[in-house]
Amino acid sequence: MSTLLSVNNLNIEAHTRTGVVQVVKDLSFSIRKGETLGVVGESGCGKTVTALSIMKLLPKETLKISSGNIIFNNKAINNLSDRELENIRGNEISMIFQEPMTSLNPLFTVGEQVAEVVRRHKKVSKERAWNRAIELLDLVKITNPEKKALDYPFQLSGGQRQRVMIAVALACEPKILIADEPTTALDVTIQAEILALINRLKDETGTAVMFITHDMAVVAQMADRVIVLYPGEKVEEGTVHEIFNNPKHEYTKSLLAAVPKLGEMVRRKYPEPMRLIGKGDTRIVKPIIGTDEPILSVKKLVTRYSIRGGLFQRIKAKVHAVEDISFTIMKGKTLSLVGESGCGKSTVGRSLIRLVEPASGEVYLDGQNILDLTVKDVRDARSKIQMVFQDPFASLNPQRPLFDQVAEPLRNYGIFRLEELQKRIGDLFDRVKLPRSFMKRYPHQLSGGQRQRIAIARALALNPKVIIADEPVSALDVSVQAQVLNLMMELQVDLGLSFLFISHDMAVVERVSHDVGVMYLGRLVEIGPRQAIFRNPHHPYTKDLLKAVPIADPSKRNTEREMNFKPLPSPIHDLTHDPKPSEYKKVAKDHYVLTTDCGY
Amino acid sequence: MLTVLLVVIILNFLMLHLAPGDIADTIAATMGGADEKDMIQLRTEYGLDQPFFIQLFQYVIKVAMLDLGNSHFYNMPVFDLIMERLPATLLLVFSAQIVSLSLGILLGVYAAQNPNGLSSLFVNMLSLFGYAAPVFWTGILLLIAFSLYIPIFPVAGMRDVTIESDNFFVHAFDVARHLFLPMITLASIFLAYYSRLCRASMLEVLGADFVRTAKAKGLSQRDILMKHALKNSLSPVITFAGLSFSAVVSGAILVETVYSWPGLGTLAFNSIIARDTPVLLGILIFSTLMVTVGNLLTDMVLRSIDPRIQGSQ
């Protein structure tokens, strides 16, 4: 096959206030006609910068190509003027971006935005362009395209917007489609649909795809050939099978080892830490058994948010965020709640420590009903149950040194003596494996993984019995994610902690949990031991969810035919709506499936 | 909107009520004094012996019927007085808003293209001047420059009474000539705010993801700026323009005084000096009305620009 695009000895420099940093070093690769080239690497490895440099979309002041050339269709395009490049952009090479929420202009209809690119590159009438736009929206499987073309981006879901972006990108039948993390911001079922769509369109149109991602599982699903980047350099290149079955470079090996693969825990009853490569990881990996003694039990929990409106801000409707949920967490074990965005899993976590007030239900912690307590007593109860949040950048105060941030819960609960604080916090820093010298630092001086360790240290400060971890590793790179997960599992063994682990990532959940609950539209549709849920799912939603998860194995690929997910119905109901109680069928020991209609 | 108006009317009434003395006293004073019996008769005549809420109700009804009382200084109904002056102020306020908005947006877009260049510096200097210079100072300065030394514009007023023509355009041109300096003076402050705000919001929008998308589509710099970026950066500017409508109205009072522009501003100024309370209260009601209408217009414009704003009432 002939080469369509080749990048030769590309060097890119970032000009910052503190000096010049080389972000891409001597990078060469090529894309052939009709193939998908996967570009993988962790954040900061220069993959997005490389993609932007091909179309000369780098911010002019800060990022500069210092040497190298980019050849497209036997023509060097890195020296072209903006005017000449404009004819290539969107026409012969087009791009889709990570954030479907912000990549479309909010003030123009989606039809206009698709038609615009057609009008720009093909000399056609307004009407022809509009018809072509509708054709394209139909091609990317937007139902009822004539009507949807008149909608504004805010009226579409994230998945639909990404479809529109793909329609824009494919409008002029480009020779190369550059997809920069196109599914990272999407739910797993929508991700599966979009990936299948890109694959189908690639086959139909013969467009070559440069697919950039940090997610090894997605690469396995999409790529024909893969290049692996590690801070700005290409460390390995090969076919997708070579990379996954026979990686050569140490970094590729460690990257693959750090990815939890769905299905790899099927035969193991108890979760166990991941075996990581490199950094002298010689620990003996032992399963985490836990106990059968209940520590936290939740009965018939209901949480609703009010929607107010009108002249007097009366309650007009309610969001049924959590609808009649019951579960029990055992001492030393992990229960995971999985589900897609908007299913109410985070609200469950928040309801348990009354960050939001549940409408009804009971939450027993150590035999005490937290929902019955007065505001003052809840404060005491919260010392036994702590939270770790998703975003380690936003959940630490940027203005205070880390010592104070970890010390704050201790001070809140009456420990003020400096020597005692210093001893306790020193121990906590040791526990989460951060050097004690970090105590004087500020959050901006830490990496994402280190910040999440601080958040864990802060949660541990009061010796809690239960930790609610709300997507604790979703914002982290895979290798860091693996380290943080291992840390959490070690702490579980050492301190006998129980976790309520809230996540959308099925593979991570399979790795860490003893029990799993699957949530859909506020209800728990299925709950049971992890092995049972993953090996023998009963509820149709659980089955679809598992089917949608990309597997980090290029021999197991999803096709579009298998995808048939239903869009999420609205959880907003008027005040007269009286939902049925959740009823379950027992299918095996501790394994229950919802029989009430949940809308799926 | 009606609620705001009603609240202002009630406040008006409270001010009237709380101020020492009442209409009977005023009338008595203009008659040169009255005895106790006449005063009681006057008070019954004007309903001043009624309970508070009945009086309030009657006042609201009166205002609703456009009866704002009599000016004792001009000796004519307040409503007629205001109606006579209102068009002049409306002309000044709206033309100043339009000029400052359109020029401000243009300058803002121009400056945002090159945020560290000379054009940006120029816009920044201009805004600093606009913020800092008091209106009456700018007004007098312009007056001295363009009416006295280079006499292209008339010194004061709104019309040249010496023109004898039936042609509408002759008169329109005459008003425009009179309008120019006061309008520029009033616009200068807001031009500063709007250009500055537009520059900032353009810069923010130019960094947005959808601008990158527009570039990746192969659109030219001009299309990206004037179509994709400008429309998005208008919202904050127009929102602010709506909020500053009241400031423009109060600015107009100063400007009108400097240029003897025969609008509500000069009327207010004279009424304050003459302690003509009914006129002042009438002006208060009308400026409230003007500001609320201005806000309504802003909301309508915003809604037409941004489809995400929907009628939530």
Side-chain angles (χ1 to χ4, degrees):
Chain A
M1 267 185 288
S2 60
T3 301
L4 202 55
L5 177 95
S6 66
V7 170
N8 304 310
N9 309 96
L10 184 71
N11 283 288
I12 300 176
E13 288 171 348
H15 294 255
T16 63
R17 230 178 290 165
T18 48
V20 178
V21 186
Q22 183 114 25
V23 286
V24 173
K25 284 175 221 148
D26 205 22
L27 180 68
S28 304
F29 64 88
S30 60
I31 300 174
R32 296 172 205 145
K33 257 183 198 146
E35 75 167 352
T36 300
L37 177 75
V39 179
V40 274
E42 296 181 281
S43 49
C45 74
K47 52 193 193 297
T48 296
V49 170
T50 307
L52 291 174
S53 72
I54 294 173
M55 300 250 278
K56 226 177 166 184
L57 289 174
L58 295 172
K60 281 193 190 95
E61 295 83 28
T62 48
L63 287 162
K64 288 193 178 92
I65 297 180
S66 52
S67 69
N69 60 25
I70 297 164
I71 314 246
F72 172 67
N73 252 353
N74 303 320
K75 203 167 84 181
I77 57 169
N78 50 319
N79 300 322
L80 293 183
S81 69
D82 271 339
R83 188 60 54 83
E84 290 168 301
L85 263 172
E86 276 161 17
N87 292 323
I88 294 178
R89 291 180 190 152
N91 190 19
E92 295 185 83
I93 305 177
S94 60
M95 204 163 169
I96 44 182
F97 301 97
Q98 174 170 358
E99 274 300 331
M101 295 303 179
T102 52
S103 296
L104 290 167
N105 192 327
L107 303 185
F108 294 94
T109 64
V110 296
E112 281 174 305
Q113 299 192 51
V114 182
E116 181 183 46
V117 69
V118 179
R119 293 258 296 159
R120 167 66 185 82
H121 296 292
K122 311 273 182 231
K123 303 288 164 246
V124 295
S125 69
K126 229 174 176 167
E127 209 190 330
R128 283 277 301 280
W130 183 260
N131 290 337
R132 171 78 180 135
I134 288 168
E135 219 176 280
L136 284 159
L137 291 178
D138 191 39
L139 185 76
V140 296
K141 281 205 172 163
I142 289 211
T143 46
N144 205 351
E146 287 90 356
K147 216 170 133 276
K148 276 280 190 300
L150 297 170
D151 277 354
Y152 289 90
F154 77 97
Q155 292 163 303
L156 306 181
S157 68
Q160 284 175 320
R161 286 184 223 193
Q162 201 61 305
R163 283 167 194 271
V164 172
M165 273 304 288
I166 295 173
V168 168
L170 293 178
C172 299
E173 291 162 347
K175 298 200 172 63
I176 298 181
L177 171 68
I178 301 173
D180 186 5
E181 303 262 14
T183 58
T184 307
L186 302 174
D187 271 324
V188 58
T189 52
I190 298 157
Q191 161 169 297
E193 288 175 341
I194 297 285
L195 294 182
L197 173 70
I198 294 175
N199 263 338
R200 173 170 68 87
L201 296 175
K202 185 197 104 180
D203 292 342
E204 283 174 14
T205 58
T207 302
V209 180
M210 176 173 166
F211 199 98
I212 296 162
T213 181
H214 69 285
D215 188 334
M216 293 306 275
V218 171
V219 177
Q221 292 290 311
M222 299 296 291
D224 299 316
R225 279 189 313 124
V226 178
I227 61 172
V228 183
L229 297 186
Y230 182 64
E233 277 178 286
K234 181 172 78 176
V235 295
E236 189 158 357
E237 176 170 2
T239 67
V240 68
H241 293 281
E242 280 165 9
I243 296 283
F244 277 85
N245 300 333
N246 190 16
K248 303 248 163 23
H249 195 275
E250 278 309 306
Y251 176 70
T252 317
K253 285 182 197 167
S254 67
L255 201 58
L256 283 169
V259 181
K261 284 167 216 66
L262 192 70
E264 66 183 350
M265 298 292 289
V266 162
R267 264 178 231 102
R268 292 173 213 168
K269 185 159 183 221
Y270 299 107
E272 52 189 51
M274 264 179 270
R275 203 180 288 276
L276 299 179
I277 294 171
K279 292 178 190 154
D281 189 16
T282 50
R283 279 173 294 115
I284 303 151
V285 170
K286 269 196 293 199
I288 303 161
I289 295 163
T291 69
D292 283 332
E293 199 182 324
I295 175 93
L296 179 84
S297 68
V298 176
K299 295 201 172 92
K300 302 205 167 299
L301 185 74
V302 176
T303 304
R304 289 173 190 158
Y305 297 110
S306 303
I307 297 175
R308 290 168 189 275
L311 194 55
F312 299 102
Q313 294 293 301
R314 264 182 311 212
I315 297 170
K316 286 177 116 179
K318 295 226 166 177
V319 181
H320 290 234
V322 175
E323 198 59 70
D324 192 3
I325 274 186
S326 310
F327 59 81
T328 303
I329 301 178
M330 307 298 169
K331 217 171 251 179
K333 282 191 175 176
T334 301
L335 169 76
S336 293
L337 289 181
V338 281
E340 296 181 280
S341 47
C343 74
K345 54 191 191 302
S346 288
T347 307
V348 173
R350 280 155 208 258
S351 300
L352 297 187
I353 54 172
R354 285 170 68 177
L355 288 180
V356 293
E357 283 295 331
S360 65
E362 291 155 44
V363 176
Y364 290 98
L365 175 66
D366 252 358
Q368 189 182 32
N369 187 354
I370 294 180
L371 303 191
D372 275 350
L373 299 177
T374 59
V375 177
K376 199 182 142 289
D377 292 337
V378 168
R379 237 178 75 86
D380 292 336
R382 278 186 192 144
S383 70
K384 293 188 218 157
I385 180 163
Q386 290 281 306
M387 267 190 108
V388 176
F389 296 96
Q390 171 171 4
D391 192 342
F393 295 86
S395 58
L396 294 175
N397 185 340
Q399 309 272 6
R400 301 184 70 193
L402 298 174
F403 177 87
D404 283 348
Q405 307 217 26
V406 179
E408 192 167 24
L410 291 169
R411 289 193 177 123
N412 283 344
Y413 287 88
I415 298 167
F416 293 105
R417 274 188 33 248
L418 193 61
E419 305 94 83
E420 194 183 345
L421 280 177
Q422 266 166 348
K423 193 187 158 297
R424 292 275 292 268
I425 289 161
D427 289 346
L428 285 167
F429 271 67
D430 294 346
R431 269 252 166 262
V432 297
K433 295 176 185 152
L434 284 176
R436 289 191 178 207
S437 61
F438 273 35
M439 283 190 220
K440 290 197 196 75
R441 295 199 181 183
Y442 288 86
H444 71 267
Q445 295 169 302
L446 270 60
S447 69
Q450 288 170 335
R451 285 182 223 210
Q452 206 59 313
R453 284 168 195 266
I454 291 291
I456 292 171
R458 182 172 60 182
L460 289 176
L462 294 166
N463 294 322
K465 296 184 169 150
V466 180
I467 288 186
I468 300 170
D470 189 354
E471 302 268 12
V473 294
S474 309
L476 306 176
D477 273 326
V478 268
S479 56
V480 182
Q481 163 178 302
Q483 289 162 15
V484 172
L485 288 176
N486 277 358
L487 172 71
M488 287 174 66
M489 287 189 264
E490 275 166 44
L491 291 171
Q492 181 163 49
V493 176
D494 294 352
L495 306 172
L497 283 173
S498 307
F499 283 107
L500 176 67
F501 192 91
I502 296 166
S503 177
H504 70 283
D505 189 329
M506 297 298 274
V508 167
V509 164
E510 194 195 19
R511 176 50 81 166
V512 300
S513 5
H514 296 83
D515 299 295
V516 175
V518 181
M519 282 190 73
Y520 182 78
L521 211 64
R523 294 205 197 244
L524 210 48
V525 297
E526 188 161 358
I527 186 166
R530 169 185 42 82
Q531 273 183 313
I533 299 281
F534 279 83
R535 205 194 288 171
N536 191 15
H538 275 72
H539 197 277
Y541 178 69
T542 316
K543 288 180 189 169
D544 281 351
L545 195 60
L546 282 168
K547 205 160 65 186
V549 179
I551 301 164
D553 182 347
S555 57
K556 291 177 190 160
R557 288 201 175 175
N558 283 326
T559 60
E560 199 171 26
R561 265 175 292 114
E562 294 162 17
M563 306 294 158
N564 188 22
F565 305 116
K566 290 171 194 161
L568 197 70
S570 168
I572 300 168
H573 297 286
D574 57 26
L575 299 177
T576 56
H577 181 74
D578 186 22
K580 292 195 191 86
S582 302
E583 277 164 22
Y584 293 90
K585 186 175 77 184
K586 185 175 177 175
V587 293
K589 185 174 177 286
D590 297 330
H591 186 174
Y592 295 90
V593 181
L594 186 74
T595 53
T596 320
D597 176 35
C598 66
Y600 193 78
Chain B
M1 187 180 152
L2 281 173
T3 337
V4 175
L5 215 56
L6 192 70
V7 168
V8 169
I9 291 171
I10 292 172
L11 273 178
N12 248 352
F13 176 75
L14 282 178
M15 272 190 257
L16 265 181
H17 206 81
L18 291 176
D22 55 21
I23 301 175
D25 287 326
T26 324
I27 293 169
T30 47
M31 291 193 311
D35 60 21
E36 200 60 22
K37 226 172 84 190
D38 290 338
M39 288 293 278
I40 292 172
Q41 200 201 333
L42 268 174
R43 291 212 161 94
T44 353
E45 221 168 274
Y46 282 91
L48 295 175
D49 52 348
Q50 301 284 325
F52 177 81
F53 282 103
I54 303 226
Q55 281 192 51
L56 173 64
F57 182 71
Q58 281 169 345
Y59 180 74
V60 173
I61 296 289
K62 261 172 75 183
V63 172
M65 311 272 283
L66 300 175
D67 178 3
L68 300 170
N70 263 304
S71 154
H72 33 263
F73 182 73
Y74 291 94
N75 206 8
M76 61 191 285
V78 171
F79 181 74
D80 297 350
L81 195 58
I82 287 176
M83 274 302 139
E84 199 182 293
R85 303 296 194 95
L86 187 64
T89 296
L90 283 180
L91 184 65
L92 179 62
V93 164
F94 277 95
S95 61
Q97 267 289 44
I98 289 167
V99 166
S100 56
L101 252 179
S102 41
L103 257 178
I105 288 168
L106 269 178
L107 281 176
V109 171
Y110 180 61
Q113 285 186 59
N114 191 358
N116 300 317
L118 270 178
S119 55
S120 222
L121 189 72
F122 169 70
V123 169
N124 279 348
M125 296 287 283
L126 189 82
S127 354
L128 199 64
F129 181 79
Y131 292 136
V135 189
F136 48 87
W137 182 80
T138 331
I140 290 170
L141 216 66
L142 283 173
L143 205 57
I144 292 170
F146 295 104
S147 302
L148 213 62
Y149 287 110
I150 317 165
I152 28 178
F153 294 110
V155 182
M158 186 174 163
R159 274 172 176 201
D160 190 345
V161 282
T162 56
I163 292 176
E164 285 174 17
S165 163
D166 293 332
N167 192 331
F168 170 78
F169 293 101
V170 174
H171 284 286
F173 179 71
D174 179 43
V175 171
R177 241 165 55 89
H178 281 86
L179 177 64
F180 191 79
L181 282 184
M183 179 190 77
I184 290 298
T185 310
L186 187 53
S188 69
I189 340 164
F190 298 96
L191 173 66
Y193 285 112
Y194 301 152
S195 61
R196 189 74 207 241
L197 194 65
C198 183
R199 174 182 173 270
S201 89
M202 269 304 263
L203 281 178
E204 195 189 313
V205 168
L206 285 175
D209 286 351
F210 61 81
V211 168
R212 192 180 54 185
T213 307
K215 267 186 212 155
K217 279 166 146 185
L219 300 184
S220 66
Q221 186 68 15
R222 212 184 117 258
D223 275 357
I224 292 170
L225 267 180
M226 300 316 281
K227 197 177 161 195
H228 285 268
L230 181 59
K231 204 172 174 189
N232 276 281
S233 58
L234 278 184
S235 304
V237 181
I238 289 173
T239 310
F240 182 73
L243 288 175
S244 54
F245 215 90
S246 56
V248 182
V249 171
S250 59
I253 292 179
L254 281 173
V255 174
E256 284 182 13
T257 316
V258 170
Y259 289 95
S260 313
W261 185 259
L264 288 179
T266 33
L267 182 65
F269 183 72
N270 291 335
S271 307
I272 291 169
I273 292 182
R275 294 182 185 274
D276 198 344
T277 325
V279 178
L280 281 175
L281 292 178
I283 290 174
L284 181 59
I285 289 176
F286 268 85
S287 44
T288 313
L289 196 66
M290 245 191 305
V291 171
T292 33
V293 168
N295 280 332
L296 191 74
L297 282 177
T298 321
D299 284 352
M300 276 156 61
V301 172
L302 276 181
R303 200 174 290 193
S304 72
I305 290 179
D306 194 335
R308 286 167 296 184
I309 304 170
Q310 286 181 329
S312 56
Q313 280 83 24

